[in-house]
Structure formats: structure tokens, C-alpha cells
Coordinates of all heavy atoms in Angstrom, one line a residue:
M1 N -36.6 -11.9 25.5 CA -36.0 -10.6 25.3 C -34.6 -10.6 25.6 O -34.0 -11.2 26.5 CB -36.7 -9.6 26.3 CG -36.2 -8.2 26.2 SD -37.3 -7.1 27.3 CE -37.0 -5.6 26.4
T2 N -33.8 -9.9 24.7 CA -32.4 -9.8 24.8 C -32.0 -8.7 25.9 O -32.5 -7.7 25.8 CB -31.7 -9.6 23.5 OG1 -32.1 -10.6 22.6 CG2 -30.2 -9.6 23.6
S3 N -31.0 -9.1 26.7 CA -30.5 -8.0 27.5 C -29.1 -7.7 27.2 O -28.3 -8.5 26.7 CB -30.6 -8.4 29.0 OG -29.8 -9.5 29.3
Y4 N -28.8 -6.5 27.3 CA -27.4 -5.9 26.9 C -26.7 -5.5 28.2 O -27.4 -4.9 29.0 CB -27.4 -4.9 25.9 CG -28.1 -5.4 24.6 CD1 -29.5 -5.2 24.3 CD2 -27.3 -6.1 23.6 CE1 -29.9 -5.7 23.2 CE2 -27.8 -6.5 22.4 CZ -29.2 -6.3 22.2 OH -29.7 -6.8 21.1
R5 N -25.4 -5.8 28.3 CA -24.6 -5.2 29.4 C -23.7 -4.2 28.8 O -23.0 -4.5 27.8 CB -23.9 -6.4 30.0 CG -23.1 -6.1 31.2 CD -22.3 -7.3 31.8 NE -21.2 -7.6 30.9 CZ -20.0 -7.0 31.0 NH1 -19.8 -6.1 31.8 NH2 -19.1 -7.4 30.1
V6 N -23.7 -3.1 29.4 CA -22.7 -2.1 29.1 C -21.5 -2.2 29.9 O -21.6 -2.2 31.1 CB -23.3 -0.6 29.2 CG1 -22.3 0.4 28.9 CG2 -24.5 -0.4 28.3
P7 N -20.4 -2.5 29.3 CA -19.2 -2.7 30.1 C -18.8 -1.5 31.0 O -18.9 -0.3 30.5 CB -18.0 -3.1 29.2 CG -18.6 -3.0 27.9 CD -20.0 -2.6 27.9
A8 N -18.4 -1.6 32.2 CA -17.9 -0.6 33.0 C -16.6 0.0 32.4 O -15.9 -0.6 31.6 CB -17.7 -1.0 34.4
A9 N -16.3 1.3 32.7 CA -15.1 1.9 32.1 C -13.9 1.1 32.6 O -12.8 1.1 31.8 CB -15.0 3.4 32.6
S10 N -13.9 0.4 33.6 CA -12.7 -0.3 34.1 C -12.7 -1.7 33.5 O -11.7 -2.3 33.8 CB -12.8 -0.3 35.7 OG -13.9 -1.0 36.1
D11 N -13.7 -2.1 32.8 CA -13.7 -3.5 32.2 C -12.7 -3.6 31.1 O -12.7 -2.8 30.1 CB -15.1 -3.8 31.7 CG -15.4 -5.2 31.3 OD1 -14.3 -5.8 30.9 OD2 -16.5 -5.6 31.3
P12 N -11.7 -4.6 31.2 CA -10.7 -4.7 30.2 C -11.3 -5.0 28.9 O -10.6 -4.9 27.8 CB -9.8 -5.8 30.7 CG -10.5 -6.4 31.8 CD -11.6 -5.5 32.3
A13 N -12.5 -5.6 28.9 CA -13.2 -6.0 27.5 C -13.7 -4.8 26.9 O -14.0 -4.9 25.6 CB -14.4 -7.0 27.8
R14 N -13.8 -3.6 27.6 CA -14.3 -2.4 26.8 C -13.2 -1.8 26.0 O -12.1 -1.6 26.5 CB -14.7 -1.4 27.9 CG -15.3 -0.2 27.4 CD -15.9 0.7 28.4 NE -16.4 1.9 27.9 CZ -17.2 2.7 28.6 NH1 -17.8 2.3 29.8 NH2 -17.6 3.8 28.0
P15 N -13.6 -1.6 24.7 CA -12.5 -1.1 23.8 C -12.1 0.4 24.2 O -12.8 1.2 24.7 CB -13.2 -1.1 22.5 CG -14.7 -1.1 22.8 CD -14.8 -1.7 24.0
A16 N -10.8 0.6 24.1 CA -10.3 1.9 24.5 C -10.6 2.8 23.2 O -10.5 2.5 22.1 CB -8.8 1.8 24.5
A17 N -11.3 3.9 23.6 CA -11.9 4.9 22.6 C -10.8 5.4 21.7 O -11.0 5.9 20.7 CB -12.7 5.9 23.2
D18 N -9.5 5.5 22.2 CA -8.5 6.1 21.4 C -7.6 5.2 20.7 O -6.6 5.6 20.2 CB -7.7 7.1 22.4 CG -7.0 6.2 23.5 OD1 -7.3 5.1 23.7 OD2 -6.1 6.8 24.2
R19 N -8.0 3.9 20.7 CA -7.2 2.9 20.0 C -7.5 2.9 18.5 O -8.7 2.6 18.2 CB -7.4 1.5 20.6 CG -6.6 0.4 20.0 CD -6.5 -0.9 20.9 NE -7.8 -1.3 21.3 CZ -8.7 -2.0 20.7 NH1 -8.3 -2.5 19.4 NH2 -9.8 -2.4 21.1
P20 N -6.6 3.2 17.7 CA -6.9 3.2 16.2 C -7.0 1.8 15.7 O -6.6 0.8 16.2 CB -5.7 3.8 15.6 CG -4.6 3.6 16.5 CD -5.2 3.5 17.9
L21 N -7.8 1.7 14.6 CA -8.0 0.4 13.9 C -8.1 0.7 12.4 O -8.3 1.8 12.0 CB -9.2 -0.4 14.3 CG -10.6 0.2 14.3 CD1 -11.2 0.2 12.9 CD2 -11.5 -0.5 15.3
T22 N -7.9 -0.3 11.6 CA -8.0 -0.1 10.2 C -8.8 -1.3 9.7 O -8.6 -2.5 10.0 CB -6.7 -0.2 9.5 OG1 -5.8 0.9 10.0 CG2 -6.8 0.0 8.0
I23 N -9.8 -1.0 8.8 CA -10.6 -2.0 8.2 C -10.3 -1.8 6.7 O -9.8 -0.8 6.2 CB -12.2 -1.9 8.4 CG1 -12.8 -0.6 7.9 CG2 -12.4 -2.1 9.9 CD1 -14.3 -0.6 8.1
V24 N -10.6 -2.9 5.8 CA -10.4 -2.9 4.5 C -11.8 -2.8 3.8 O -12.5 -3.7 4.0 CB -9.6 -4.1 4.0 CG1 -9.4 -4.1 2.5 CG2 -8.2 -4.1 4.7
V25 N -11.9 -1.7 3.0 CA -13.2 -1.6 2.4 C -13.0 -1.6 0.9 O -12.3 -0.7 0.3 CB -13.9 -0.2 2.8 CG1 -15.3 0.0 2.1 CG2 -14.1 -0.2 4.3
D26 N -13.6 -2.6 0.2 CA -13.4 -2.8 -1.2 C -12.0 -2.6 -1.6 O -11.6 -2.1 -2.6 CB -14.2 -1.8 -2.0 CG -15.7 -1.9 -1.7 OD1 -16.2 -3.1 -1.5 OD2 -16.5 -0.9 -1.8
G27 N -11.1 -3.3 -0.8 CA -9.7 -3.3 -1.1 C -8.9 -2.1 -0.6 O -7.6 -2.2 -0.8
E28 N -9.5 -1.1 0.0 CA -8.8 0.1 0.4 C -8.8 0.2 1.9 O -9.9 0.0 2.5 CB -9.4 1.3 -0.1 CG -9.4 1.5 -1.7 CD -10.0 2.7 -2.1 OE1 -10.2 3.7 -1.3 OE2 -10.3 2.8 -3.3
P29 N -7.7 0.5 2.5 CA -7.6 0.7 4.0 C -8.4 1.9 4.4 O -8.3 2.9 3.8 CB -6.2 0.8 4.4 CG -5.5 1.2 3.1 CD -6.3 0.7 1.9
V30 N -9.2 1.7 5.5 CA -10.0 2.9 6.0 C -9.7 2.9 7.6 O -9.9 1.9 8.2 CB -11.5 2.8 5.7 CG1 -12.2 3.9 6.3 CG2 -11.7 2.7 4.2
A31 N -9.3 4.1 8.0 CA -9.0 4.2 9.4 C -10.2 4.5 10.3 O -11.1 5.2 9.9 CB -7.9 5.3 9.6
G32 N -10.2 4.0 11.5 CA -11.3 4.3 12.5 C -10.7 4.2 13.8 O -9.4 4.2 14.0
T33 N -11.5 4.1 14.8 CA -11.3 4.0 16.2 C -12.0 2.9 16.9 O -13.1 2.7 16.5 CB -11.6 5.5 16.8 OG1 -10.9 6.5 16.2 CG2 -11.2 5.4 18.3
A34 N -11.4 2.3 17.8 CA -12.0 1.2 18.5 C -13.4 1.7 19.1 O -13.4 2.8 19.6 CB -11.1 0.7 19.7
G35 N -14.3 0.8 19.0 CA -15.7 1.1 19.5 C -16.6 1.7 18.4 O -17.8 1.7 18.6
Q36 N -16.1 2.1 17.3 CA -17.0 2.5 16.2 C -17.7 1.3 15.5 O -17.0 0.3 15.5 CB -16.1 3.3 15.2 CG -15.7 4.7 15.6 CD -15.1 5.4 14.4 OE1 -14.0 5.0 13.9 NE2 -15.6 6.6 14.0
T37 N -18.8 1.6 15.0 CA -19.4 0.7 14.1 C -18.8 0.7 12.8 O -18.1 1.7 12.5 CB -21.0 0.9 14.0 OG1 -21.1 2.2 13.4 CG2 -21.7 0.8 15.3
I38 N -19.0 -0.3 12.0 CA -18.5 -0.2 10.5 C -19.1 1.0 9.9 O -18.4 1.7 9.2 CB -18.9 -1.5 9.7 CG1 -18.3 -2.7 10.4 CG2 -18.7 -1.4 8.3 CD1 -17.4 -3.5 9.8
A39 N -20.4 1.3 10.1 CA -21.0 2.5 9.5 C -20.3 3.8 10.0 O -20.0 4.7 9.2 CB -22.5 2.6 9.8
G40 N -19.9 3.8 11.3 CA -19.2 4.9 11.8 C -17.9 5.2 11.2 O -17.5 6.3 10.9
V41 N -17.2 4.0 10.9 CA -15.8 4.2 10.2 C -16.1 4.7 8.8 O -15.4 5.6 8.4 CB -15.2 2.9 10.3 CG1 -13.8 2.9 9.4 CG2 -14.8 2.4 11.7
L42 N -17.1 4.2 8.1 CA -17.3 4.6 6.8 C -17.7 6.0 6.8 O -17.2 6.9 5.9 CB -18.4 3.8 6.2 CG -18.0 2.2 5.9 CD1 -19.2 1.4 5.5 CD2 -16.9 2.1 4.8
L43 N -18.7 6.5 7.6 CA -19.1 7.8 7.6 C -17.9 8.8 8.0 O -17.8 9.9 7.4 CB -20.3 8.0 8.5 CG -21.6 7.3 8.2 CD1 -22.6 7.3 9.2 CD2 -22.2 8.1 6.9
G44 N -17.1 8.4 8.9 CA -15.9 9.1 9.3 C -15.0 9.4 8.2 O -14.2 10.3 8.2
A45 N -15.0 8.4 7.3 CA -14.0 8.5 6.1 C -14.8 9.2 5.0 O -14.2 9.3 3.8 CB -13.7 7.1 5.7
G46 N -15.9 9.7 5.1 CA -16.6 10.4 4.1 C -17.5 9.7 3.2 O -17.9 10.2 2.1
R47 N -17.6 8.4 3.4 CA -18.4 7.6 2.6 C -19.9 7.6 3.1 O -20.2 7.4 4.2 CB -17.8 6.1 2.6 CG -16.5 6.0 2.1 CD -15.9 4.6 2.3 NE -14.6 4.6 1.9 CZ -14.1 3.7 0.9 NH1 -14.9 2.9 0.4 NH2 -12.9 3.8 0.6
R48 N -20.8 7.9 2.1 CA -22.1 8.0 2.6 C -23.0 6.9 2.0 O -24.1 6.7 2.4 CB -22.7 9.3 2.1 CG -22.0 10.5 2.6 CD -22.3 10.7 4.1 NE -21.8 11.9 4.6 CZ -20.6 11.7 5.5 NH1 -20.1 10.7 5.8 NH2 -20.0 12.8 6.0
E49 N -22.5 6.3 1.0 CA -23.3 5.2 0.2 C -22.4 4.0 0.1 O -21.2 4.2 -0.3 CB -23.8 5.7 -1.2 CG -24.5 6.9 -1.2 CD -24.5 7.7 -2.5 OE1 -23.8 7.2 -3.4 OE2 -25.4 8.6 -2.6
W50 N -22.9 2.8 0.2 CA -22.1 1.6 0.0 C -22.9 0.4 -0.3 O -22.4 -0.7 -0.3 CB -21.2 1.3 1.3 CG -22.0 1.3 2.6 CD1 -22.8 0.2 3.0 CD2 -22.1 2.2 3.6 NE1 -23.3 0.5 4.2 CE2 -23.0 1.7 4.6 CE3 -21.6 3.5 3.7 CZ2 -23.2 2.5 5.7 CZ3 -21.9 4.3 4.9 CH2 -22.7 3.7 5.9
R51 N -24.1 0.6 -0.8 CA -24.9 -0.5 -1.2 C -25.9 0.1 -2.3 O -26.1 1.3 -2.3 CB -25.8 -1.0 -0.1 CG -26.6 -2.3 -0.4 CD -27.4 -2.8 0.8 NE -28.6 -1.9 1.0 CZ -29.7 -2.1 0.5 NH1 -29.9 -3.0 -0.4 NH2 -30.8 -1.4 0.9
T52 N -26.4 -0.8 -3.2 CA -27.3 -0.3 -4.2 C -28.6 -1.4 -4.0 O -28.4 -2.5 -3.7 CB -26.9 -0.4 -5.6 OG1 -26.3 -1.7 -5.9 CG2 -25.8 0.6 -5.8
T53 N -29.7 -0.9 -4.3 CA -30.9 -1.6 -4.3 C -31.0 -2.5 -5.4 O -30.4 -2.3 -6.4 CB -32.1 -0.7 -4.2 OG1 -32.1 0.0 -5.5 CG2 -32.1 0.2 -3.1
A54 N -31.7 -3.7 -5.2 CA -31.8 -4.7 -6.2 C -32.7 -4.1 -7.4 O -32.4 -4.4 -8.5 CB -32.5 -5.9 -5.6
A55 N -33.7 -3.4 -7.0 CA -34.6 -2.8 -8.1 C -34.2 -1.3 -8.3 O -34.3 -0.5 -7.5 CB -36.1 -2.8 -7.6
G56 N -33.5 -1.1 -9.5 CA -33.1 0.2 -9.9 C -31.7 0.6 -9.5 O -31.3 1.6 -10.0
G57 N -31.0 -0.1 -8.6 CA -29.6 0.2 -8.3 C -29.5 1.6 -7.6 O -28.5 2.2 -7.7
A58 N -30.5 2.0 -6.7 CA -30.4 3.2 -6.0 C -29.4 3.0 -4.9 O -29.3 2.1 -4.2 CB -31.8 3.6 -5.5
P59 N -28.6 4.1 -4.6 CA -27.6 4.1 -3.6 C -28.2 4.1 -2.2 O -29.3 4.8 -2.0 CB -26.7 5.4 -3.8 CG -27.7 6.3 -4.5 CD -28.6 5.5 -5.3
R60 N -27.5 3.4 -1.3 CA -28.0 3.3 0.2 C -26.8 3.4 1.0 O -25.7 2.9 0.7 CB -28.8 2.0 0.4 CG -30.1 1.9 -0.4 CD -31.1 2.9 0.2 NE -32.4 2.8 -0.3 CZ -32.9 3.4 -1.3 NH1 -32.1 4.3 -1.9 NH2 -34.2 3.2 -1.8
G61 N -27.1 3.8 2.3 CA -26.0 3.9 3.3 C -26.7 3.8 4.6 O -27.5 3.0 4.7
V62 N -26.5 4.7 5.5 CA -27.2 4.7 6.8 C -28.5 5.5 6.6 O -28.5 6.6 6.1 CB -26.3 5.3 7.9 CG1 -27.2 5.6 9.2 CG2 -25.2 4.4 8.2
F63 N -29.6 4.9 7.1 CA -30.9 5.7 7.1 C -31.4 5.8 8.6 O -31.4 6.9 9.1 CB -31.9 4.9 6.2 CG -33.2 5.6 6.3 CD1 -33.3 6.9 5.6 CD2 -34.3 5.2 6.9 CE1 -34.6 7.6 5.6 CE2 -35.5 5.8 6.9 CZ -35.7 7.0 6.2
C64 N -31.6 4.6 9.2 CA -32.1 4.8 10.6 C -30.9 4.8 11.6 O -31.0 5.4 12.7 CB -33.0 3.5 10.9 SG -32.2 2.0 11.1
G65 N -29.9 4.1 11.4 CA -28.8 4.0 12.3 C -29.0 3.2 13.5 O -28.1 3.2 14.5
I66 N -30.1 2.5 13.6 CA -30.4 1.7 14.8 C -30.8 0.3 14.5 O -31.4 -0.5 15.3 CB -31.5 2.4 15.7 CG1 -32.8 2.5 14.8 CG2 -31.0 3.6 16.3 CD1 -34.0 2.9 15.6
G67 N -30.5 -0.2 13.3 CA -30.7 -1.6 12.9 C -32.1 -2.0 12.5 O -32.4 -3.1 12.4
V68 N -32.9 -1.0 12.1 CA -34.3 -1.3 11.7 C -34.5 -1.3 10.2 O -35.2 -2.2 9.7 CB -35.2 -0.2 12.4 CG1 -36.7 -0.5 11.9 CG2 -35.2 -0.3 13.9
C69 N -33.9 -0.5 9.5 CA -34.2 -0.3 8.1 C -33.4 -1.3 7.1 O -33.9 -1.5 6.0 CB -34.0 1.0 7.7 SG -32.3 1.6 7.5
F70 N -32.4 -1.8 7.5 CA -31.5 -2.7 6.7 C -31.0 -2.0 5.5 O -30.6 -2.7 4.4 CB -32.3 -3.9 6.4 CG -32.4 -4.9 7.5 CD1 -33.4 -4.6 8.5 CD2 -31.7 -6.0 7.6 CE1 -33.6 -5.5 9.5 CE2 -31.8 -7.0 8.6 CZ -32.9 -6.6 9.6
D71 N -30.9 -0.7 5.4 CA -30.4 0.0 4.3 C -28.8 0.0 4.3 O -28.3 0.2 3.2 CB -30.8 1.5 4.3 CG -32.0 1.8 3.5 OD1 -32.5 0.8 2.9 OD2 -32.3 3.0 3.3
C72 N -28.2 -0.4 5.4 CA -26.7 -0.2 5.5 C -26.0 -1.5 5.3 O -24.9 -1.8 5.6 CB -26.4 0.3 6.8 SG -26.9 -0.8 8.2
L73 N -26.6 -2.5 4.6 CA -26.1 -3.9 4.6 C -24.8 -3.8 3.8 O -24.5 -3.2 2.8 CB -27.0 -4.8 3.8 CG -28.4 -5.1 4.4 CD1 -29.3 -6.0 3.7 CD2 -28.2 -5.6 5.9
V74 N -23.8 -4.6 4.4 CA -22.5 -4.8 3.8 C -22.1 -6.3 4.0 O -22.7 -7.0 4.7 CB -21.4 -3.9 4.4 CG1 -21.5 -2.5 4.1 CG2 -21.3 -4.1 5.8
E75 N -21.0 -6.7 3.3 CA -20.4 -8.0 3.6 C -19.2 -7.8 4.4 O -18.4 -7.0 4.1 CB -20.1 -8.6 2.2 CG -19.6 -10.1 2.3 CD -19.4 -10.7 1.0 OE1 -20.3 -10.6 0.2 OE2 -18.3 -11.3 0.6
V76 N -19.1 -8.6 5.5 CA -18.0 -8.4 6.4 C -17.4 -9.8 6.6 O -18.0 -10.7 7.0 CB -18.4 -7.8 7.8 CG1 -17.3 -7.7 8.7 CG2 -19.2 -6.6 7.7
N77 N -16.1 -9.8 6.2 CA -15.4 -11.1 6.3 C -16.1 -12.3 5.6 O -16.1 -13.4 6.2 CB -15.0 -11.4 7.8 CG -14.2 -10.3 8.5 OD1 -13.6 -9.6 7.8 ND2 -14.4 -10.1 9.7
G78 N -16.7 -12.0 4.5 CA -17.3 -13.1 3.8 C -18.8 -13.3 4.2 O -19.5 -14.1 3.6
L79 N -19.3 -12.6 5.1 CA -20.7 -12.8 5.7 C -21.5 -11.7 5.1 O -21.3 -10.5 5.4 CB -20.7 -12.8 7.2 CG -22.1 -12.9 7.9 CD1 -22.6 -14.4 7.6 CD2 -22.0 -12.8 9.4
R80 N -22.6 -12.1 4.3 CA -23.4 -11.1 3.6 C -24.5 -10.5 4.6 O -24.7 -11.1 5.7 CB -24.1 -11.7 2.4 CG -23.4 -11.7 1.1 CD -24.2 -12.3 0.1 NE -25.4 -11.6 -0.3 CZ -25.4 -10.5 -1.2 NH1 -24.3 -10.0 -1.6 NH2 -26.5 -9.9 -1.4
D81 N -25.0 -9.5 4.2 CA -26.3 -8.9 4.9 C -25.9 -8.5 6.4 O -26.8 -8.7 7.2 CB -27.4 -9.9 4.9 CG -27.8 -10.2 3.4 OD1 -27.6 -9.2 2.6 OD2 -28.4 -11.2 3.1
V82 N -24.8 -7.9 6.7 CA -24.5 -7.5 8.0 C -24.9 -6.0 8.1 O -24.5 -5.2 7.2 CB -22.9 -7.6 8.2 CG1 -22.5 -7.0 9.6 CG2 -22.4 -9.0 8.2
R83 N -25.6 -5.6 9.1 CA -25.9 -4.2 9.3 C -24.8 -3.5 9.8 O -24.3 -3.6 10.9 CB -27.1 -4.1 10.2 CG -28.4 -4.6 9.5 CD -29.5 -4.7 10.6 NE -29.4 -5.9 11.4 CZ -30.2 -6.2 12.3 NH1 -31.2 -5.5 12.7 NH2 -29.9 -7.4 13.1
A84 N -24.3 -2.6 8.9 CA -23.0 -1.8 9.3 C -23.2 -0.9 10.5 O -22.3 -0.7 11.2 CB -22.6 -1.0 8.0
C85 N -24.6 -0.5 10.7 CA -24.8 0.4 11.8 C -24.8 -0.3 13.1 O -24.7 0.3 14.2 CB -26.1 1.1 11.6 SG -27.6 0.0 11.8
L86 N -24.8 -1.6 13.1 CA -24.8 -2.4 14.4 C -23.5 -3.2 14.7 O -23.2 -3.4 15.8 CB -25.9 -3.4 14.4 CG -27.3 -2.8 14.4 CD1 -28.4 -4.0 14.5 CD2 -27.6 -1.9 15.5
R87 N -22.8 -3.4 13.6 CA -21.6 -4.2 13.7 C -20.4 -3.4 14.2 O -20.0 -2.4 13.5 CB -21.3 -4.9 12.4 CG -19.9 -5.6 12.2 CD -19.9 -6.9 13.1 NE -18.6 -7.5 12.9 CZ -18.5 -8.6 12.3 NH1 -19.4 -9.3 11.7 NH2 -17.2 -9.2 12.2
R88 N -19.8 -3.8 15.3 CA -18.6 -3.0 15.9 C -17.4 -3.4 14.9 O -17.2 -4.5 14.7 CB -18.3 -3.3 17.2 CG -17.3 -2.5 17.8 CD -17.0 -2.7 19.3 NE -18.1 -2.1 20.0 CZ -18.4 -2.1 21.2 NH1 -17.5 -2.8 22.1 NH2 -19.4 -1.5 21.8
A89 N -16.7 -2.3 14.5 CA -15.5 -2.7 13.6 C -14.5 -3.3 14.4 O -14.3 -2.9 15.5 CB -15.1 -1.4 13.0
Q90 N -13.9 -4.3 13.8 CA -12.7 -4.9 14.4 C -11.4 -4.6 13.5 O -11.6 -4.7 12.3 CB -12.9 -6.4 14.5 CG -14.1 -6.8 15.4 CD -13.9 -6.5 16.8 OE1 -12.8 -6.6 17.4 NE2 -15.0 -5.9 17.5
D91 N -10.3 -4.4 14.1 CA -9.1 -4.2 13.2 C -9.0 -5.3 12.3 O -8.9 -6.5 12.7 CB -8.0 -4.1 14.2 CG -6.7 -3.5 13.5 OD1 -6.9 -2.6 12.6 OD2 -5.6 -3.9 13.8
G92 N -8.8 -5.0 11.0 CA -8.5 -6.0 10.0 C -9.7 -6.5 9.3 O -9.7 -7.4 8.4
D93 N -11.0 -6.1 9.8 CA -12.2 -6.5 9.0 C -12.2 -6.2 7.6 O -11.7 -5.1 7.2 CB -13.5 -5.8 9.6 CG -14.0 -6.4 10.9 OD1 -13.7 -7.6 11.1 OD2 -14.9 -5.8 11.5
V94 N -12.7 -7.1 6.8 CA -12.7 -6.9 5.4 C -14.1 -6.8 5.0 O -15.0 -7.6 5.1 CB -12.1 -8.1 4.6 CG1 -12.3 -8.0 3.1 CG2 -10.6 -8.3 5.0
V95 N -14.4 -5.5 4.5 CA -15.8 -5.1 4.2 C -15.9 -4.8 2.7 O -15.1 -4.3 2.0 CB -16.1 -3.7 4.9 CG1 -17.5 -3.3 4.6 CG2 -15.9 -3.9 6.4
T96 N -17.0 -5.5 2.1 CA -17.2 -5.4 0.7 C -18.7 -4.9 0.5 O -19.6 -5.3 1.2 CB -17.2 -6.8 0.2 OG1 -15.9 -7.4 0.4 CG2 -17.2 -6.7 -1.4
R97 N -18.9 -4.0 -0.5 CA -20.1 -3.5 -0.8 C -20.9 -4.6 -1.4 O -20.4 -5.6 -1.9 CB -20.1 -2.5 -1.9 CG -19.4 -1.2 -1.6 CD -19.2 -0.4 -2.9 NE -18.7 0.9 -2.7 CZ -19.3 2.0 -2.7 NH1 -20.6 1.8 -3.1 NH2 -18.9 3.1 -2.5
Q98 N -22.2 -4.6 -1.1 CA -23.0 -5.6 -1.8 C -24.1 -4.8 -2.5 O -24.6 -3.8 -2.1 CB -23.5 -6.6 -0.8 CG -24.4 -6.0 0.4 CD -24.9 -7.1 1.1 OE1 -24.0 -7.8 1.9 NE2 -26.1 -7.5 1.2
G99 N -24.5 -5.3 -3.7 CA -25.6 -4.7 -4.5 C -26.6 -5.7 -4.8 O -26.3 -6.8 -5.2
G100 N -27.9 -5.2 -4.8 CA -29.0 -6.2 -5.2 C -29.0 -7.5 -4.5 O -28.7 -7.5 -3.2
T101 N -29.3 -8.5 -5.1 CA -29.4 -9.8 -4.6 C -28.5 -10.8 -5.3 O -28.2 -10.6 -6.4 CB -30.9 -10.4 -4.5 OG1 -31.3 -10.4 -5.9 CG2 -31.8 -9.5 -3.7
R102 N -28.2 -11.9 -4.7 CA -27.4 -12.9 -5.4 C -28.2 -14.0 -5.8 O -29.1 -14.4 -5.0 CB -26.3 -13.4 -4.4 CG -25.0 -12.6 -4.6 CD -23.9 -13.3 -3.9 NE -22.8 -12.3 -3.7 CZ -21.9 -12.5 -2.9 NH1 -21.7 -13.7 -2.2 NH2 -21.0 -11.6 -2.7
Ligands
FES201 S1 -29.0 2.2 9.0 FE1 -31.0 1.2 9.2 S2 -30.3 -0.9 9.7 FE2 -28.4 0.2 9.6

């Protein structure tokens, strides 16, 4: 079983909630805040869909928001099938939509 440690407010590893960051989504800069997930940054920018299904090309974005449904998959820094709802955004991340299967 995996255990998770929540950093204390005084922990320097804890991201400052007011620190801005920018990720690049399909070539466009999108602003967010440290501590947000990639999905949080995308939703904050008004984006609701960023993937299409292999069968039928139906649009997908966040469904469960807790890493269970895999509807929110994106490519991050060249790595496919990253769950946007779980991946904490880092300044300069390059996010690409992915559709269907390769
Ligand atoms: S929204 Fe369900 S896994 Fe990300």
C-alpha cells in the first residue's frame, strides 16, 4: 500500500499557493498557480475537453477527478497517458492533447 505524506505548511518543498506558473498546451501558454494539477490549470482556463476517444472520437476531459476513470489522459513532456487530474503542473510543462490510440 502506498502512503502519502502531506507536507506541512512550513515545509519548503510545499508549493506556494500564490506562485504563478505557465504550462504550454498544444503550443499555447496557459497560466495557472503552483499546486494545481494539469486538469486544474486547464479547467481554470475554461477548457473542458482535451482528449477524444478511439472509438467515435467523443470528447473527454475530467470525469472522476480522482484518477480512476482515465478520461483525462494527456501527453506531458512527451510522456503519453498521463492522468491530468493527478499530475501536479510544473512551470514549463508541455502538454499535448491525445486522441484515440497510436
Ligand atoms: S478524471 Fe478520472 S482519471 Fe482523471
Side-chain angles (χ1 to χ4, degrees):
M1 177 175 208
T2 303
S3 64
Y4 297 95
R5 182 183 72 85
V6 177
S10 60
D11 189 333
R14 185 173 176 157
D18 59 349
R19 185 167 43 88
L21 59 79
T22 302
I23 64 175
V24 177
V25 181
D26 295 331
E28 295 180 17
V30 177
T33 303
Q36 284 186 300
T37 61
I38 299 243
V41 173
L42 291 170
L43 290 170
R47 297 173 186 234
R48 301 286 181 258
E49 308 161 347
W50 51 80
R51 184 179 78 81
T52 55
T53 59
R60 294 290 186 267
V62 170
F63 181 70
C64 72
I66 57 173
V68 175
C69 72
F70 289 76
D71 262 4
C72 63
L73 297 178
V74 290
E75 185 173 312
V76 180
N77 302 330
L79 180 65
R80 273 181 67 82
D81 300 332
V82 174
R83 285 171 285 179
C85 69
L86 295 183
R87 169 74 179 247
R88 184 173 290 176
Q90 301 293 320
D91 195 37
D93 274 346
V94 177
V95 177
T96 309
R97 291 171 175 257
Q98 59 180 70
T101 58
R102 272 192 199 165

